[in-house]
């Protein structure tokens, strides 16, 4: 018996859950409690025809992605310093543990006081992403083969060439794995912060307005928008990162 193609299996699974969603919507028959995928797409199509929709998408995407990139580069920098200078890692351990442990809602309130609502999602995305990138950078760099590093030292290979031809290869899989987790977390936490802070002209404001007016169709439409934006950004960024590190996304195997 021939095995079905992967794309066919994935499509069939998605269609099954969409049909189940539509069936549940029909059985409940209450637009406030649940709307189906067809009405969600119809509402999304209507929203996409308005300028305010695209402004909200641009507002939230730019701020969340800015927070992610700031955390990404800061995490790599401090992770590298922590690997090469353990004293730096010990010094940074308390604030990183604090960022990992503090509830997002608590930090949202603090960030509202410190940065205001318009830059709230930048701060929250940074706080959520930074520890993930830092910890995985330390793990990746410290996993570098000591024999290769010893050989590089014998031949007096400059630091920038060791970083390019040794550390990059070992860091790549850890960084890709970290970003797979961190990207989704950045968008989820960033939008959640916007719902609490309600900055004008954001996706969070759209979700908040949908809640106030009990517009479940708009709520699902905005949610679908977030999923699509997050998935597209993740695929593009990970594709670039994988090419940059030339890795197959698997941790290096040591003999």
């Amino acid at each position: 018996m021939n095995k079905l193609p992967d794309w066919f299996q994935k499509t069939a699974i998605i269609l099954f859950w969409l049909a189940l969603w539509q069936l549940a919507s029909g059985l409940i028959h209450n637009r406030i409690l649940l709307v189906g995928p067809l009405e969600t797409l119809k509402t999304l199509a209507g929203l996409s025809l308005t300028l305010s929709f695209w402004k909200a998408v641009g507002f939230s995407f730019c701020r969340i992605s800015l927070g992610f990139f700031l955390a990404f580069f800061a995490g790599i920098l401090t992770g590298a310093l922590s690997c090469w200078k353990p004293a730096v890692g010990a010094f940074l351990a308390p604030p990183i543990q604090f960022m990992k442990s503090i509830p997002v809602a608590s930090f949202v309130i603090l960030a509202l006081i410190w940065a205001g609502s318009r830059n709230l999602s930048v701060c929250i995305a940074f706080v959520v992403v930074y520890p993930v990138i830092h910890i995985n950078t330390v793990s990746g760099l410290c996993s570098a083969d000591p024999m290769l590093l010893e050989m590089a030292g014998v031949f007096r290979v400059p630091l920038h060439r060791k970083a390019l031809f040794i550390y990059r290869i070992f860091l790549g899989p850890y960084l890709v794995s970290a970003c797979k987790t961190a990207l989704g977390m950045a968008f989820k936490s960033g939008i959640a912060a916007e719902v609490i802070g309600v900055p004008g002209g954001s996706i969070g404001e759209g979700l908040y307005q949908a809640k106030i007016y009990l517009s479940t169709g708009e709520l699902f439409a905005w949610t679908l928008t977030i999923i699509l934006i997050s998935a597209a950004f993740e695929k593009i960024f990970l594709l670039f990162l994988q090419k940059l590190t030339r890795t197959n996304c698997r941790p290096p195997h040591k003999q």
Side-chain angles (χ1 to χ4, degrees), residues 8 29 39 66 79 85-86 107 111 116 130 148 157 178 195 199 224 228 251:
F8 183 84
H29 197 60
E39 186 168 350
L66 175 60
K85 301 291 183 180
F107 197 85
Y130 171 73
L148 288 176
V157 177
V195 173
L224 180 59
L228 293 175

Side-chain angles (χ1 to χ4, degrees), residues 164-176:
L164 182 62
F165 295 107
I166 298 178
Y167 286 115
R168 177 177 61 90
I169 304 303
F170 287 87
L171 175 61
Y174 289 88
L175 210 53
V176 170

Side-chain angles (χ1 to χ4, degrees), residues 169-188:
I169 304 303
F170 287 87
L171 175 61
Y174 289 88
L175 210 53
V176 170
S177 177
C179 288
K180 285 181 179 179
T181 302
L183 278 165
M185 292 170 58
F187 277 89
K188 286 193 292 185

